[in-house]
Structure formats: C-alpha cells, structure tokens
Amino acid sequence: VGLIARAASILLFRGSAPPEYLVVRRAEHLRFLGGFHAFPGGKLAPEDARMPIRQAGGGHSEGGDNESIAAAARELFEETGVLLARGEDGDNPPASAKLEYLRRKVLVENLPFSEVLARLGLTIHREDFQSIGALVTPPFVPHRFDTKFFLARLPEAQVAQIWPGELVEGRWSTAAEVLSSWRAGECLVSPPTVAILEALKGVASEEILPHLERVFGLHAGQSLPPIYVAPQVRLLPLFTDTLPPTTHTNAYLVGNEHVYLFDPGTALPKEQASLLEALDTHLASRRPLTGIVLTHHHPDHIGAAALCAERYRIPVYGHAFTQKKLAGKVNFDNLLKDGDRLDLGTTPAGPTPWFLEAIVTPGHADGHLAFFDPHYRLLLAGDMVSTISSVVIAPPEGDLQVYLDSLARLRALNSKLLLPSHGGPSATPERVIDDCVAHRKQRENQLLAALDATPRTISELAQELYKGLTPKMMRFAELQLLAGLYKLRREGRAVATPENQWKMAEQPA
Ligand SMILES: [Zn+2]
C-alpha cells in the first residue's frame, strides 16, 4: 500500500465576470499526470513548516494550514514567478528583474524561499490564500497526494511566466474555455481540474467559494468520486482481489448517447454497493447505460458483471474465448471480433460519430480485447499494460511472443491517452509500451545469462532470478519464467530435458 504525500495547489485567477484561471501543462516525463493540464502546485517541503505566516490585523498566524499555504506560495513562485507576499506597506511587489533573478536562484541554486522573502522584505499574508478544500488522489495509483487547494487573485503588476521544466506551458482561460478545448480533444486535463472547472463555468469571482463546496464534498464522501479522465470517460477505481502491488481494477464508463461499462471487476460486496450507487446516480441524471464490456475473463475484471447485467437488464459484450471461460458465471449477449465497433453516439464536442473499435490482443489472456477510439485517440488497454506493475504472462494461456506481438499492434495505433485496468492514465502510451517491452527484454537477458549447460528446474531458476518473493508471488514468477523459456525454446535458444529441466541450447558447430 502506497504512501500519501501532502501537497498544495492554487487556483490563481484574474478579472471577475467570469474570471480567468491560470492552468499549466505538466511535462510529459512526470510520473503523476504528466502531459495533463492542472493548477500550479506541488508537494510540501520541510522548509514550508518554518515559514512565518501573518494573519489579518497583524501577528503570526497559528492556523493548521500554515504549512500548506507556505507550500502553495513557494510552488507558485517557482512554477510561475508570481509572488503572493506583501511588504511593510501592505503591497505586493511588482514584476521585476530582481524577482526573476531570485526565482532563478531558487530553481538553480536551491536558495530557500524564506531567503527570497527576507531579501525583498516581504511576508506571506494568510488572507491572500482562501482555503477551498482538500482532495486525496483515489487509490488507483500507488503514489497518492492529499492536496489542499487555495484560491488567490493575481496581484496587480505581476505576470505569470512558465519556464520549461516540470511545466511546459501555462495559459489564462475561463473555465468554459478550458473545458471546451478539452471536449474538442485539444488538451488533456487532470480529473480534479475538470471537476473544479465544471463547477466554476460562468461563475463570477465573488461567487467562486460557494460553487466549489459541492465538488470538494463529493470527493470527500464515501461514494466513488466522479473521475473524468477524458470527456465522457469516467474511471471507477474498484478494490479487487488482485496481485500486489496492485490493489484496484479500474472500471470505465464510456460514451455519450450510448454508454458502456468496462470491466466491473469487484467481487467484494461493499465495493459492489459503491459501484451500484455510482451507476444508479448515473442513470438518475438521465444518462444511458447500454451494455457491459469485458476485456477478458480474469476474476478481478468480471466480479460484478453478472450483478450489473441483471440489475440494469443490459447485455454483456466480450470475445468468444471469454464467453467460453465464463460459461455458467456470466451470460454473454454479444460477441465481439477484431474490428467490431461499439457505437458511443456522438462526441461530447459535437455531431461527429464516436465509437470504440475492438482489437483482439491475446498473450496475457486468450480473447483479450483492447479498445481504441480514433477520434480522441484513447486506448482502453485492459491488462495489456499497467502503469504500476508488470503484466503477468502465465502459460499455458499466457504466451510471451504473442503478447509482444499484441503490444506492437497497440503501439502502432498512435494513441494519445492510455487507460489501463491497473494504474492511472498516461499521456504517453508509446513510452509506457516501450518501457514494458524493455522490461521483458531485460528479464530475457537475465534468463539467458542464468541458463547454462547444466539443466536446472524452473524453481531453481526462479530462486536465482527473483529473490525474496512471497510464496504466492514466487508461483507467478515461475510462470513468468516459463513463458520466457517457451519463447526461447521456440527460437532455438533453450531446451527442456525429459525431466522438465531447462538448459541452454547447444550452439551449432
Ligand atoms: Zn488479467
């Protein structure tokens, strides 16, 4: 189970009716929501705890969120150059060459932020930061953040300037402008940013706070939060019985006039109740629920499929192999072949037809289906790649070469957003697939190095190559190894003895 780090984020606005917000794009290499637009902010640093904050009317504030305010002010200065602090006269400093110089010193030479304020004779004032609530990253990623959000107005005579680094660009836009460009597929926007901007569409600056209460309330409750990873694509992280370090399987609700539920995987009653509550709310808001789609038959992908099909009287879709594997457990109404389309209606941006195309991708499971949306270039990858762990290839069903061929096919799609069953979304699908292939190659090289002329059992090889695993994980490691050995045998690089021991193939003389 991963740790939860504290973070602070800031909604900086200017103007009033409606105000414009500063939205920044995170660099693609960042592990968390790289390539997505979000509000400025970042993790708390040790120095934030020592920063004095002045309260209204003078004196030091002893408020509980001092540290988060200090972090928000520091991150905002580092990321945008905007300095929310005041001098003895009560004024914010104007943009200047000195401010830029000090910002560079912070970024390049790690000059403490408190030193910047001291040199300029400035103090952070509590009333410049309106607290609007906190959000915790849902458990679909191991690196989670508990983020406090603040609202602040851009000081007059200051400008925001993004320097390439962790952020690649920034823009001032109204909530409606960001959302319309998101709907048009022009940019990716982080799910909490989407939720916040939806609540602020057309809202004047003095009305911001009351409009945000509902958003933060929804995400803090027991129900599944509305996580929109793309327009009309909702991620439902469900606790499932899966393999560590993974704890959840992502179900997805995708579509506009026709909406499909992908992989309702949980078999746990409490988690099923949360899923049904979310689906009931979806239907109550007059959204359709057209069918259930299963990417493959593994238990952490199908746990609530029969339950949902019966409760909402909707058909189940999947591949013929999946149907066969689940005979007696789930009834299938529609079988999907390679190239079949699921009609989603029209795109959220307008009257263009929107659909998902089924792609048969065996290797992890026979009959595994991935789905590609050529309009937004979304790839629903199922278990073909994970953004938090490596995918199990367990013979006899799992076949490493077949898996690699399927991955190559997915890579060629030129998709823009990867939506895996395990882990968060990624704006760099090709890089995720390349990393996965490189990891397999590295494992294969280790296996080749371990094989020699003396035959050894799978379990001996596994003990050498995967040290310190629990017995349950060791069993999967042995299966992974077997998948690698089958591939090498097919290539004439490994041989099995009649006693089921493995050795290196003899080199032709
Ligand atoms: Zn699976």
Side-chain angles (χ1 to χ4, degrees), residues 295-301 364-365 368 382-384 391-392 421-422:
T295 59
H296 63 300
H297 67 271
H298 287 159
D300 57 326
H301 292 256
H364 167 71
H368 186 285
D383 265 356
M384 287 304 291
V391 171
V392 173
S421 290
H422 304 288

Side-chain angles (χ1 to χ4, degrees), residues 95-423:
S96 67
K98 185 162 189 199
L99 226 55
E100 271 193 35
Y101 166 80
L102 288 171
R103 180 183 174 197
R104 214 172 287 280
K105 294 277 270 190
V106 169
L107 293 173
V108 180
E109 296 168 29
N110 293 318
L111 178 75
F113 183 51
S114 57
E115 191 61 28
V116 173
L117 298 180
R119 286 195 196 182
L120 297 167
L122 303 174
T123 320
I124 297 174
H125 284 233
R126 162 166 288 273
E127 73 257 36
D128 290 339
F129 297 80
Q130 284 187 280
S131 174
I132 50 180
L135 294 177
V136 178
T137 318
F140 58 89
V141 280
H143 304 279
R144 300 168 66 193
F145 297 96
D146 180 354
T147 308
K148 283 217 165 95
F149 286 79
F150 298 95
L151 178 69
R153 182 181 277 282
L154 174 73
E156 279 181 35
Q158 283 198 24
V159 286
Q161 225 185 348
I162 307 300
W163 292 345
E166 290 199 354
L167 303 180
V168 279
E169 60 178 329
R171 65 189 234 195
W172 287 100
S173 308
T174 64
E177 284 166 354
V178 180
L179 291 170
S180 107
S181 131
W182 178 64
R183 277 200 191 91
E186 294 160 3
C187 62
L188 299 169
V189 182
S190 86
T193 309
V194 169
I196 290 169
L197 292 175
E198 288 281 6
L200 294 180
K201 244 183 329 185
V203 171
S205 62
E206 54 280 6
E207 297 285 310
I208 292 174
L209 287 184
H211 279 85
L212 286 178
E213 272 167 24
R214 201 180 143 268
V215 179
F216 285 87
L218 269 184
H219 283 79
Q222 289 302 304
S223 312
L224 287 167
I227 307 167
Y228 282 91
V229 289
Q232 301 294 14
V233 180
R234 179 174 174 186
L235 187 161
L236 301 148
L238 299 173
F239 188 68
T240 52
D241 186 13
T242 177
L243 288 177
T246 302
T247 55
H248 286 67
T249 303
N250 300 331
Y252 291 95
L253 266 177
V254 186
N256 200 8
E257 286 88 358
H258 308 285
V259 177
Y260 291 88
L261 172 64
F262 288 80
D263 286 358
T266 187
L268 303 157
K270 187 164 165 270
E271 204 66 356
Q272 288 185 338
S274 300
L275 172 64
L276 297 182
E277 189 199 326
L279 295 174
D280 287 353
T281 309
H282 170 89
L283 288 165
S285 61
R286 297 173 174 273
R287 305 270 299 123
L289 189 54
T290 312
I292 295 167
V293 186
L294 300 179
T295 59
H296 63 300
H297 67 271
H298 287 159
D300 57 326
H301 292 256
I302 61 127
L307 176 73
C308 292
E310 192 178 326
R311 180 181 171 103
Y312 302 110
R313 302 183 180 284
I314 48 174
V316 177
Y317 295 68
H319 192 272
F321 276 111
T322 310
Q323 179 193 41
K324 207 166 101 191
K325 288 277 190 184
L326 294 176
K329 287 187 194 162
V330 181
N331 294 322
F332 282 74
D333 304 273
N334 293 288
L335 296 183
L336 295 171
K337 305 180 308 296
D338 196 69
D340 280 353
R341 288 178 177 187
L342 291 172
D343 177 13
L344 304 176
T346 57
T347 67
T352 317
W354 193 25
F355 61 89
L356 284 166
E357 194 173 310
I359 305 163
V360 177
T361 39
H364 167 71
D366 282 341
H368 186 285
L369 295 172
F371 292 87
F372 179 63
D373 148 31
H375 183 82
Y376 293 107
R377 311 205 76 79
L378 307 178
L379 176 59
L380 284 159
D383 265 356
M384 287 304 291
V385 277
S386 153
T387 50
I388 48 175
S389 54
S390 93
V391 171
V392 173
I393 307 298
E397 188 182 2
D399 182 307
L400 187 53
Q401 189 55 58
V402 171
Y403 171 70
L404 291 171
D405 293 344
S406 290
L407 274 186
R409 207 176 152 202
L410 293 184
R411 193 190 186 285
L413 291 171
N414 188 21
S415 51
K416 274 208 247 175
L417 182 65
L418 173 77
L419 301 170
S421 290
H422 304 288

